[in-house]
Amino acid sequence: MSTPPAKRFKASPQRTVLLVRHGEGQHQLKKAAAKAVQIDAKLGPALTPLGVQQAQKAAQLLSDVLQRISEETGDASPPLVVSSNLVRAVHTAMLVAPMGAEVVVQPLLRERISFSCDEPSELEALRSWIEAQQNLAEVQLHLYEEALLEFVAGASPSETAHAAYIRDCYAWDLIGEKQNKAKLKERAEAMTAWVESQDAQVIVLVGHACFLNMITGDKDWLDNAEVRCYAVSDGSWSRSGRFVMPKAQLPAVRPPAAWAPGVQVPAVRPFAAWAPGAQVPAVRPLAAWAPGCLGPVAKAATPRPRGSLAMVFGARPPG
């Protein structure tokens, strides 16, 4: 089982939690732009140039809010910055982390998995990618390493520990083709309990639209690089009125110069790229697919392996 129960973590007093959705990812590109990028099979969708700009804008907003929190509380210590184990969230976290803060990769924060674009990055590929980055925050991978340990012995001779882990993710999050709401709720509660068990009084979570809303209970969708502020206590989340956090003003259209020329087309095509008259796969209705994902993968029982919480800062209107 890849998700620890919430009762393993001991809660501590109320804390401030800032939520940040990752910047635009390669899997969210449309039409011609989607044909101009190559998605790394081991890392999964990375940030686009626009996604990097969005994360940098979020970093400015986050810095302003952290400064206001520091002035109010008198505590200037850096926050705990936590990311999912998907490269687009890790990169966003490294860009928004303030000086002196490290990024901790927490597998519990991964996206709700339904599609190949939701799959966590392979550990060693992620480690190599992090090591290649310069002038960004340090990243701790020990929680991801620990999460994979149970799959090292459990993997079959024909699959890697990562493939076994991905298979478990599908089995955990899906029942057939539908979301396993009970298990997703259990993972969201475990993530909340982990947050409340940390010593830091200010925590930044960098993750994904679907699962972040499952954690907080919010209904309005997070935009790319949107920042929301919460207080978390006794397992419940809510936005408070002390800090009102407007959405960052971000460019709506990616400049053509930001598209990488000459790279290979991703293996999974968006619907707009299908030939007229081609039949749509019957895995699930189009309306049920998550925005921005490139298409369905196999059912939970046979996922396609890819190799070797009630007080919160900042009430804001929906949208």
Side-chain angles (χ1 to χ4, degrees), residues 190-209:
M191 185 66 219
T192 298
W194 183 87
V195 165
E196 292 195 87
S197 73
Q198 303 306 299
D199 293 332
Q201 291 304 299
V202 179
I203 299 174
V204 179
L205 298 185
V206 183
H208 310 265

Side-chain angles (χ1 to χ4, degrees), residues 28-299:
Q28 296 178 286
L29 295 173
K30 307 296 183 183
K31 299 182 179 180
K35 295 180 180 181
V37 300
Q38 180 180 15
I39 296 178
D40 188 291
K42 294 184 177 182
L43 284 173
L47 292 184
T48 66
L50 175 59
V52 173
Q53 294 175 28
Q54 291 172 330
Q56 291 168 339
K57 184 71 176 180
Q60 298 172 17
L61 178 59
L62 195 64
S63 177
D64 292 342
V65 175
L66 290 170
Q67 179 62 34
R68 294 165 68 184
I69 293 173
S70 176
E71 291 172 354
E72 180 177 297
T73 63
D75 183 0
S77 57
L80 171 63
V81 181
V82 185
S83 169
S84 80
N85 52 358
L86 281 74
V87 68
R88 59 186 180 270
V90 174
H91 194 182
T92 301
M94 294 170 73
L95 289 165
V96 304
M99 185 176 297
E102 291 184 330
V103 176
V104 175
V105 172
Q106 170 53 278
L108 284 174
L109 194 53
R110 65 177 175 81
E111 178 62 303
R112 170 275 298 123
I113 195 166
S114 290
F115 309 96
S116 59
C117 60
D118 302 324
E119 295 176 7
S121 303
E122 289 191 19
L123 175 61
E124 294 309 317
L126 183 60
R127 192 194 311 278
S128 296
W129 180 89
I130 291 169
E131 291 173 351
Q133 307 310 303
Q134 296 181 349
N135 303 318
L136 293 178
E138 297 292 324
V139 179
Q140 299 296 329
L141 291 169
H142 60 280
L143 294 178
Y144 194 8
E145 293 167 345
E146 292 171 5
L148 287 177
L149 284 178
E150 65 179 288
F151 299 102
V152 173
S156 68
S158 61
E159 70 176 352
T160 64
H162 179 77
Y165 169 61
I166 296 300
R167 176 164 49 82
D168 185 75
C169 289
Y170 278 97
W172 188 271
D173 289 2
L174 295 175
I175 299 177
E177 299 170 7
K178 296 182 179 180
Q179 291 186 3
N180 188 337
K181 294 183 178 180
K183 288 295 186 181
L184 287 166
K185 182 175 183 289
E186 183 176 343
R187 178 157 66 92
E189 291 173 347
M191 185 66 219
T192 298
W194 183 87
V195 165
E196 292 195 87
S197 73
Q198 303 306 299
D199 293 332
Q201 291 304 299
V202 179
I203 299 174
V204 179
L205 298 185
V206 183
H208 310 265
C210 289
F211 192 65
L212 287 177
N213 275 5
M214 290 176 180
I215 295 172
T216 65
D218 284 354
K219 302 300 182 183
D220 50 326
W221 194 263
L222 287 101
D223 289 339
N224 288 122
E226 181 180 346
V227 180
R228 295 182 184 178
C229 191
Y230 297 80
V232 181
S233 180
D234 296 327
S236 60
W237 297 63
S238 65
R239 296 184 236 183
S240 114
R242 283 194 289 168
F243 294 116
V244 177
M245 310 250 300
K247 295 179 183 178
Q249 296 300 308
L250 302 168
V253 180
R254 195 174 312 97
W259 299 347
V263 294
Q264 297 179 13
V265 178
V268 184
R269 294 175 297 163
F271 292 120
W274 292 354
Q279 294 186 357
V280 177
V283 177
R284 66 170 60 79
L286 173 59
W289 296 355
C293 285
L294 295 178
V297 293
K299 296 182 181 180

